mmCIF file of all heavy atoms in Angstrom:
data_model
loop_
_atom_site.group_PDB
_atom_site.id
_atom_site.type_symbol
_atom_site.label_atom_id
_atom_site.label_comp_id
_atom_site.label_asym_id
_atom_site.label_seq_id
_atom_site.Cartn_x
_atom_site.Cartn_y
_atom_site.Cartn_z
ATOM 1 N N ALA A 127 -17.803 -6.155 -0.333
ATOM 2 C CA ALA A 127 -18.248 -7.143 -1.313
ATOM 3 C C ALA A 127 -17.171 -8.209 -1.455
ATOM 4 O O ALA A 127 -15.977 -7.908 -1.475
ATOM 5 C CB ALA A 127 -18.504 -6.474 -2.658
ATOM 6 N N THR A 128 -17.600 -9.452 -1.567
ATOM 7 C CA THR A 128 -16.675 -10.578 -1.627
ATOM 8 C C THR A 128 -16.973 -11.436 -2.848
ATOM 9 O O THR A 128 -18.139 -11.741 -3.128
ATOM 10 C CB THR A 128 -16.781 -11.445 -0.361
ATOM 11 O OG1 THR A 128 -16.613 -10.609 0.796
ATOM 12 C CG2 THR A 128 -15.706 -12.524 -0.347
ATOM 13 N N ALA A 129 -15.935 -11.820 -3.576
ATOM 14 C CA ALA A 129 -16.092 -12.645 -4.772
ATOM 15 C C ALA A 129 -16.346 -14.100 -4.366
ATOM 16 O O ALA A 129 -15.452 -14.937 -4.372
ATOM 17 C CB ALA A 129 -14.857 -12.536 -5.661
ATOM 18 N N LYS A 130 -17.583 -14.364 -4.004
ATOM 19 C CA LYS A 130 -17.987 -15.718 -3.634
ATOM 20 C C LYS A 130 -19.470 -15.849 -3.943
ATOM 21 O O LYS A 130 -20.271 -15.016 -3.492
ATOM 22 C CB LYS A 130 -17.734 -15.982 -2.154
ATOM 23 C CG LYS A 130 -17.953 -17.439 -1.724
ATOM 24 C CD LYS A 130 -17.661 -17.600 -0.240
ATOM 25 C CE LYS A 130 -17.781 -19.054 0.219
ATOM 26 N NZ LYS A 130 -16.622 -19.865 -0.185
ATOM 27 N N ALA A 131 -19.829 -16.844 -4.724
ATOM 28 C CA ALA A 131 -21.228 -17.043 -5.108
ATOM 29 C C ALA A 131 -21.840 -18.171 -4.285
ATOM 30 O O ALA A 131 -21.149 -19.009 -3.720
ATOM 31 C CB ALA A 131 -21.324 -17.365 -6.598
ATOM 32 N N GLY A 132 -23.177 -18.157 -4.225
ATOM 33 C CA GLY A 132 -23.896 -19.223 -3.541
ATOM 34 C C GLY A 132 -24.288 -18.894 -2.120
ATOM 35 O O GLY A 132 -24.951 -19.701 -1.463
ATOM 36 N N GLU A 133 -23.880 -17.742 -1.636
ATOM 37 C CA GLU A 133 -24.259 -17.286 -0.302
ATOM 38 C C GLU A 133 -24.153 -15.768 -0.262
ATOM 39 O O GLU A 133 -23.685 -15.146 -1.222
ATOM 40 C CB GLU A 133 -23.371 -17.913 0.769
ATOM 41 C CG GLU A 133 -21.895 -17.607 0.628
ATOM 42 C CD GLU A 133 -21.059 -18.329 1.671
ATOM 43 O OE1 GLU A 133 -21.001 -17.835 2.819
ATOM 44 O OE2 GLU A 133 -20.495 -19.383 1.347
ATOM 45 N N ALA A 134 -24.630 -15.169 0.809
ATOM 46 C CA ALA A 134 -24.559 -13.712 0.922
ATOM 47 C C ALA A 134 -23.120 -13.239 0.703
ATOM 48 O O ALA A 134 -22.181 -13.779 1.296
ATOM 49 C CB ALA A 134 -25.061 -13.272 2.297
ATOM 50 N N ASN A 135 -22.942 -12.257 -0.173
ATOM 51 C CA ASN A 135 -21.587 -11.814 -0.510
ATOM 52 C C ASN A 135 -21.387 -10.299 -0.432
ATOM 53 O O ASN A 135 -20.353 -9.789 -0.862
ATOM 54 C CB ASN A 135 -21.180 -12.340 -1.887
ATOM 55 C CG ASN A 135 -22.221 -12.066 -2.964
ATOM 56 O OD1 ASN A 135 -22.971 -11.099 -2.870
ATOM 57 N ND2 ASN A 135 -22.265 -12.925 -3.981
ATOM 58 N N VAL A 136 -22.367 -9.590 0.118
ATOM 59 C CA VAL A 136 -22.183 -8.173 0.455
ATOM 60 C C VAL A 136 -22.565 -8.004 1.919
ATOM 61 O O VAL A 136 -23.684 -8.347 2.319
ATOM 62 C CB VAL A 136 -23.032 -7.241 -0.427
ATOM 63 C CG1 VAL A 136 -22.775 -5.787 -0.035
ATOM 64 C CG2 VAL A 136 -22.716 -7.455 -1.907
ATOM 65 N N HIS A 137 -21.637 -7.499 2.714
ATOM 66 C CA HIS A 137 -21.844 -7.417 4.158
ATOM 67 C C HIS A 137 -21.583 -6.005 4.658
ATOM 68 O O HIS A 137 -20.916 -5.203 3.995
ATOM 69 C CB HIS A 137 -20.926 -8.415 4.880
ATOM 70 C CG HIS A 137 -21.263 -9.841 4.597
ATOM 71 N ND1 HIS A 137 -20.816 -10.500 3.457
ATOM 72 C CD2 HIS A 137 -22.011 -10.741 5.290
ATOM 73 C CE1 HIS A 137 -21.276 -11.739 3.467
ATOM 74 N NE2 HIS A 137 -21.990 -11.912 4.554
ATOM 75 N N VAL A 138 -22.104 -5.720 5.843
ATOM 76 C CA VAL A 138 -21.994 -4.386 6.414
ATOM 77 C C VAL A 138 -21.627 -4.487 7.890
ATOM 78 O O VAL A 138 -22.004 -5.442 8.572
ATOM 79 C CB VAL A 138 -23.317 -3.604 6.241
ATOM 80 C CG1 VAL A 138 -24.470 -4.323 6.925
ATOM 81 C CG2 VAL A 138 -23.195 -2.176 6.765
ATOM 82 N N ALA A 139 -20.882 -3.494 8.358
ATOM 83 C CA ALA A 139 -20.542 -3.410 9.779
ATOM 84 C C ALA A 139 -20.380 -1.952 10.170
ATOM 85 O O ALA A 139 -20.084 -1.092 9.328
ATOM 86 C CB ALA A 139 -19.252 -4.169 10.089
ATOM 87 N N ASP A 140 -20.571 -1.673 11.430
ATOM 88 C CA ASP A 140 -20.240 -0.364 11.979
ATOM 89 C C ASP A 140 -18.715 -0.271 12.066
ATOM 90 O O ASP A 140 -18.058 -1.222 12.513
ATOM 91 C CB ASP A 140 -20.860 -0.206 13.363
ATOM 92 C CG ASP A 140 -20.784 1.217 13.886
ATOM 93 O OD1 ASP A 140 -19.653 1.733 14.023
ATOM 94 O OD2 ASP A 140 -21.835 1.798 14.173
ATOM 95 N N VAL A 141 -18.136 0.850 11.650
ATOM 96 C CA VAL A 141 -16.683 0.977 11.668
ATOM 97 C C VAL A 141 -16.127 0.934 13.088
ATOM 98 O O VAL A 141 -14.928 0.707 13.279
ATOM 99 C CB VAL A 141 -16.230 2.278 10.959
ATOM 100 C CG1 VAL A 141 -16.600 2.252 9.494
ATOM 101 C CG2 VAL A 141 -16.789 3.507 11.642
ATOM 102 N N LYS A 142 -16.980 1.125 14.082
ATOM 103 C CA LYS A 142 -16.516 1.086 15.468
ATOM 104 C C LYS A 142 -16.430 -0.335 16.019
ATOM 105 O O LYS A 142 -15.688 -0.584 16.971
ATOM 106 C CB LYS A 142 -17.446 1.913 16.347
ATOM 107 C CG LYS A 142 -17.434 3.404 16.038
ATOM 108 C CD LYS A 142 -18.390 4.161 16.950
ATOM 109 C CE LYS A 142 -18.385 5.647 16.654
ATOM 110 N NZ LYS A 142 -19.321 6.409 17.520
ATOM 111 N N THR A 143 -17.201 -1.262 15.439
ATOM 112 C CA THR A 143 -17.262 -2.613 16.000
ATOM 113 C C THR A 143 -16.759 -3.699 15.056
ATOM 114 O O THR A 143 -16.294 -4.748 15.507
ATOM 115 C CB THR A 143 -18.699 -2.967 16.394
ATOM 116 O OG1 THR A 143 -19.522 -3.018 15.209
ATOM 117 C CG2 THR A 143 -19.266 -1.926 17.355
ATOM 118 N N ASP A 144 -16.886 -3.491 13.738
ATOM 119 C CA ASP A 144 -16.488 -4.486 12.737
ATOM 120 C C ASP A 144 -17.194 -5.830 12.917
ATOM 121 O O ASP A 144 -16.636 -6.883 12.631
ATOM 122 C CB ASP A 144 -14.968 -4.689 12.736
ATOM 123 C CG ASP A 144 -14.233 -3.468 12.200
ATOM 124 O OD1 ASP A 144 -14.792 -2.793 11.316
ATOM 125 O OD2 ASP A 144 -13.118 -3.189 12.674
ATOM 126 N N GLN A 145 -18.425 -5.785 13.373
ATOM 127 C CA GLN A 145 -19.237 -6.995 13.481
ATOM 128 C C GLN A 145 -20.131 -7.067 12.234
ATOM 129 O O GLN A 145 -21.113 -6.358 12.121
ATOM 130 C CB GLN A 145 -20.078 -6.971 14.756
ATOM 131 C CG GLN A 145 -19.251 -6.963 16.024
ATOM 132 C CD GLN A 145 -18.341 -8.180 16.129
ATOM 133 O OE1 GLN A 145 -18.801 -9.315 16.009
ATOM 134 N NE2 GLN A 145 -17.059 -7.942 16.351
ATOM 135 N N PHE A 146 -19.771 -7.930 11.301
ATOM 136 C CA PHE A 146 -20.393 -7.937 9.987
ATOM 137 C C PHE A 146 -21.636 -8.822 9.934
ATOM 138 O O PHE A 146 -21.687 -9.889 10.551
ATOM 139 C CB PHE A 146 -19.396 -8.424 8.935
ATOM 140 C CG PHE A 146 -18.396 -7.377 8.537
ATOM 141 C CD1 PHE A 146 -17.237 -7.188 9.279
ATOM 142 C CD2 PHE A 146 -18.617 -6.579 7.435
ATOM 143 C CE1 PHE A 146 -16.318 -6.222 8.922
ATOM 144 C CE2 PHE A 146 -17.702 -5.600 7.071
ATOM 145 C CZ PHE A 146 -16.558 -5.426 7.815
#
Side-chain angles (χ1 to χ4, degrees):
T128 306
K130 188 179 184 76
E133 60 184 280
N135 50 28
V136 181
H137 294 83
V138 60
D140 191 300
V141 296
K142 294 180 180 179
T143 65
D144 291 327
Q145 297 301 307
F146 282 85

